[in-house]
Amino acid sequence: MSLLVVGSVAYDGIETPFGSVDRILGGSATYISLASSYFANIINLVGVVGKDFKEEDIKLLRRKGVDLQGLQRDDSGNTFFWKGKYHYDLNNRDTLDTQLNVFEHFDPVIPESYQNTKYIALGNIEPSLQEKVLDQVKNPGFVVMDTMNFWIEGTPEALKKTLKRVDLLVINDSEARELAHEPNLMKAAEKVMEMGPQALIIKKGEHGALLFTDSEIFSAPAYPVIDIFDPTGAGDTFMGGLLGWLSYTDDASPQNLRRAVIMGSVMASFCVEEFGPERLKDLTEKEIYDRYREFRELSEIPEISHLD
Ligand code: AMP
């Protein structure tokens, strides 16, 4: 099954307590595409890069099977640049620099050959642009959306409008509380689902994730990664693994959504092991499925004999 990905394509500067890089490939669409490339047959990327975008990065995306017909090249400026710094508590980061560059005037245009894509990943961009993507897709089958505090606070009406057209929203716990104006996470989830999405995933950083559907709640464990170097892109990678799995299996049932949440967590756990998207470049099927098994074992709850 095919997958459409829209979001930022970027160069990132990253500082963590373990080292730093000045300029490494990044962006939400990049991470989503790389993570989903292990599952999806066709990945249709929609984004924009500037005149500084390197040929080796184009080659990497092509090598991972990403279709770049929808990747605009704007020679009037540079690629979006973001710089962040992490502290010992890797859940917290400071944004040191954001240079929108060619991303400032990004207008997503969906090539005709992408318009029948079934699975849609709306990376974290302005909600009205996310909606513009949906306007250009014919009969989207399953739409997953990411967002952030910046849009929840800055463009709440546009966000709520887009949310009505989304099947699954993926946000973190603080964003869920803010969106619902509700400190209790369970109540916040209920309120967010009333805004439109049939399913909701609340990520809790290194503490796992919660999946809410109409009928059930599923709690995914966190993987105890020993060598965390750089959390950049973990959220986008989670979304890429999740949607890649859904498109590969072409099954959005609650049971398969559970597998997809674990597959997202598997891919995110690899992502943080090296700087930028390095670890996502050459994973093997065995590494992925072995880690999936480890996740299953992590949350196996033994039975108590006198309980049925
Ligand atoms: P994550 O760590 O999953 O939240 O995503 C990190 C990626 O988001 C980095 O590779 C950045 O290039 C990208 N990013 C940071 N700020 C923005 C922004 N305002 N709009 C779009 N992408 C961004």
Side-chain angles (χ1 to χ4, degrees), residues 253-270:
S253 64
Q255 191 71 0
N256 202 45
L257 274 172
R258 288 185 178 216
R259 293 188 192 100
V261 172
I262 300 299
M263 214 43 109
S265 308
V266 164
M267 299 310 287
S269 75
F270 284 120

Side-chain angles (χ1 to χ4, degrees), residues 82-85 93-98:
W82 173 81
K83 185 168 182 174
K85 179 177 172 144
R93 73 177 173 207
D94 299 328
T95 291
L96 302 180
D97 195 4
T98 301

Side-chain angles (χ1 to χ4, degrees), residues 8 10-12 25-28 31 80 82 86 93 98 100 103 124-125 148 151 231-237:
S8 56
Y11 284 121
D12 293 340
L25 180 63
S28 55
Y31 282 102
F80 174 71
W82 173 81
Y86 296 85
R93 73 177 173 207
T98 301
L100 289 175
F103 198 47
N124 176 18
I125 54 171
M148 68 191 289
W151 307 120
T232 307
D236 303 313
T237 301

